[in-house]
Amino acid sequence: MADEATDIVWRGVEHDFKLRVTGAFFNKQHQVAVNVDIDNHFSALPGGKIKFGEKSQVAIVREFAE
């Protein structure tokens, strides 16, 4: 996903830093939600970039809803 103007991102000469939030979300059967990228063979906990002025607690709720 592309960076939005309100995302917290620092651009470097060789690398970018993107401030992100992530969390574990369990259902009633104690299964954890994961994002799976089959093409690149990896899995990750759900989450995303934090926006300027946004608290991490608000960001994770927003990301889980998205």
Side-chain angles (χ1 to χ4, degrees):
M1 178 179 270
D3 297 331
E4 297 178 17
T6 56
D7 292 338
I8 299 175
V9 177
W10 287 275
R11 304 262 181 238
V13 175
E14 296 183 28
H15 304 284
D16 295 343
F17 174 80
K18 300 177 182 189
L19 186 59
R20 295 178 43 84
V21 63
T22 189
F25 185 82
F26 295 90
N27 65 12
K28 291 181 181 179
Q29 290 77 33
H30 305 286
Q31 298 167 318
V32 65
V34 294
N35 295 329
V36 178
D37 186 325
I38 296 171
D39 296 332
N40 294 314
H41 308 289
F42 74 89
S43 300
L45 291 171
K49 291 175 277 205
I50 298 175
K51 300 187 178 305
F52 282 102
E54 186 176 44
K55 293 184 178 188
S56 58
Q57 297 92 333
V58 173
I60 194 62
V61 171
R62 177 181 52 76
E63 287 294 337
F64 276 15
E66 290 177 1

